[in-house]
Amino acid sequence: MTRTPIRLAVAAGAALLVAGCSDDGTGTSTTTTTRTATATQSAPAYTGELPERPAAGAPVDCSYTPDGGAAKDVAPPQESGVTTAGSPAVTMSTSAGPIGLTLDPAAAPCTVNSFVSLAGQGYFDDTPCHRLVTSPGLQVLQCGDPSGTGRGGPGYGFDTEYPETAYAPTDPTLSQAVVYPRGTVAMANTGQPGSNGSQFFLVYADSQLPPAYTIFGTIDEAGLATIEKVAAAGDDGSMGSVGGGAPNLPVQIESVTVTS
């Protein structure tokens, strides 16, 4: 299976996600989808604020659905009794400098569970951060694809969590952008249900996106300094109209260590 590229783009001052058309390996093309951050007449006044973050509660069950070949062989995470408590610390060593994260299982237990599982199996080790975006309104470094193509994943997918789950499915504000603050770490996806995998993005300046990208942690100041150094060198523009490209200052994740 060839995975749809996971891309965040900026157009006309608003953020959108574009999932390109690709062959799934059986000769069938996937459907091109576009999710835009546009207001509707029935939507409330735009504030840009994220909804209230969930509090920790009872353990939850998660579902990780096989979706084709993995970019690097790994076992799927456990699915039952996943904790919503704690704040695991992540030490990410990269060729550009250290990036520290604090994960948030209360907001995104299934996402944190997957990230911790992948990190423990060495999935992120010796992999590139393949995309940098420096556009006004979207300033992120995207990582988590061992193939470096924007198509790679762990061989399974799972559903979006906070902030999308803080809204009713028919809430018109789901089509409006919210501010993903500087220092946020969130999951990339294709716009299709269940398309979260291993790719994540690191927000180094406030960015506007629909609330469709799971927020699962924060970046420390040393990590932000590392990312800002990469951003200052710019990108090669290879992503074209969807925005950004490979960082001119390459970022190779050397190792990822998680401690409770």
Side-chain angles (χ1 to χ4, degrees):
M1 174 180 177
T2 301
R3 293 174 60 89
T4 301
I6 298 173
R7 294 175 177 172
L8 300 162
V10 171
L16 64 121
L17 181 151
V18 179
C21 186
S22 64
D23 190 332
D24 68 1
T26 65
T28 302
S29 293
T30 60
T31 302
T32 300
T33 62
T34 302
R35 181 180 300 189
T36 61
T38 56
T40 65
Q41 289 183 344
S42 60
Y46 171 75
T47 66
E49 295 181 358
L50 286 166
E52 184 177 355
R53 171 188 168 278
V60 301
D61 292 337
C62 303
S63 179
Y64 303 102
T65 305
D67 67 357
K72 184 184 284 189
D73 288 340
V74 286
Q78 70 174 49
E79 295 189 331
S80 61
V82 175
T83 186
T84 65
S87 52
V90 176
T91 301
M92 187 180 300
S93 298
T94 84
S95 59
I99 300 175
L101 310 176
T102 300
L103 305 184
D104 188 355
C110 297
T111 303
V112 170
N113 184 51
S114 174
F115 186 93
V116 171
S117 173
L118 292 173
Q121 296 179 74
Y123 180 87
F124 299 115
D125 297 353
D126 194 28
T127 65
C129 291
H130 62 278
R131 185 178 181 215
L132 174 69
V133 185
T134 61
S135 304
L138 184 61
Q139 299 185 53
V140 302
L141 179 67
Q142 189 168 331
C143 315
D145 172 12
S147 75
T149 64
R151 296 176 179 269
Y156 61 82
F158 57 98
D159 289 335
T160 303
E161 297 180 286
Y162 173 83
E164 186 172 70
T165 50
Y167 300 86
T170 57
D171 192 329
T173 57
L174 281 169
S175 66
Q176 292 180 289
V178 294
V179 175
Y180 281 60
R182 177 181 184 270
T184 297
V185 56
M187 293 297 294
N189 63 59
T190 68
Q192 295 283 10
S195 62
N196 291 280
S198 61
Q199 293 188 44
F200 60 93
F201 58 94
L202 304 161
V203 182
Y204 65 91
D206 289 0
S207 296
Q208 293 188 16
L209 290 164
Y213 306 98
T214 300
I215 295 173
F216 68 102
T218 56
I219 311 164
D220 68 7
E221 287 300 322
L224 286 167
T226 295
I227 300 164
E228 288 165 350
K229 178 177 68 175
V230 173
D235 66 83
D236 67 3
S238 58
M239 295 294 182
S241 62
V242 299
N248 290 330
L249 176 60
V251 185
Q252 192 80 356
I253 297 175
E254 296 163 348
S255 65
V256 177
T257 304
V258 182
T259 56
S260 298

